[in-house]
Amino acid sequence: NDTSRSAGDAAQSELIDVLISNSAKAVTWLKERVGVDLSLRAQLGGHSYMRTHRPSNGMAGAEIIYGIQKAVKSYAKQGKVSIMVDTKVTSLVIEEATGRVIGVSMYGPGGEENELHASNVMLATGGFAADRSSGSYLDRYRPELLDMP
């Protein structure tokens, strides 16, 4: 009820159900597979009981991101995953019969156009805060942050 109440008129019961059904598995995955310390539970504003998992040291978001980065870099060193930076994805390649994403159309770092197929595709599109060029998202939407370290 806490989530529905805090969302108010914007509450989407289907999405709330997904969150509720999968949150325990996500916390277990972060603890066991990624090694994130989420040993403390806290009661945050609007919660009716302690249910927010937090690290014993540091901030939850930073610890989760650091843990995932460390795990992904380890997978990359083992050849289990490829990390492609400075790559612009222009469209998803979708298998017509199943509707499953099987790859991407993209421009690589040198500007070459490619199509990459894979059994699993993960897009990580965050990080626009690192682009401090003129006309970047940061420049357009949060220019006051451009000079922050």
Side-chain angles (χ1 to χ4, degrees), residues 8-9 13 18-19 22 27 35 52 74-75 82 85 97 108 142:
D9 292 338
S13 59
V18 169
L19 174 69
N22 293 296
V27 169
T52 300
S74 171
Y75 297 149
S82 296
V85 296
R142 296 297 305 267

Side-chain angles (χ1 to χ4, degrees), residues 49-107:
Y49 58 93
M50 294 190 329
R51 64 162 183 221
T52 300
H53 295 262
R54 306 185 56 79
S56 59
N57 178 355
M59 298 185 298
E63 293 297 317
I64 290 168
I65 295 300
Y66 174 73
I68 291 173
Q69 284 177 331
K70 187 175 171 183
V72 168
K73 287 177 182 177
S74 171
Y75 297 149
K77 284 182 183 174
Q78 298 170 41
K80 294 180 179 179
V81 67
S82 296
I83 300 171
M84 302 176 79
V85 296
D86 298 325
T87 303
K88 179 180 180 180
V89 172
T90 56
S91 64
L92 300 175
V93 177
I94 300 174
E95 188 174 56
E96 201 170 307
T98 64
R100 187 172 172 270
V101 175
I102 59 169
V104 296
S105 296
M106 63 182 199
Y107 288 102

Side-chain angles (χ1 to χ4, degrees), residues 29-48:
W29 182 83
L30 286 167
K31 290 164 104 175
E32 294 177 2
R33 290 269 320 263
V34 182
V36 177
D37 168 27
L38 295 172
S39 57
L40 299 181
R41 284 195 309 166
Q43 183 172 349
L44 301 181
H47 293 180
S48 55

Side-chain angles (χ1 to χ4, degrees), residues 99-137:
R100 187 172 172 270
V101 175
I102 59 169
V104 296
S105 296
M106 63 182 199
Y107 288 102
E112 69 281 359
E113 189 172 5
N114 291 307
E115 193 169 277
L116 178 67
H117 291 240
S119 55
N120 294 289
V121 177
M122 182 175 86
L123 304 175
T125 62
F128 73 83
D131 182 359
R132 295 166 189 266
S133 64
S134 178
S136 68
Y137 283 126

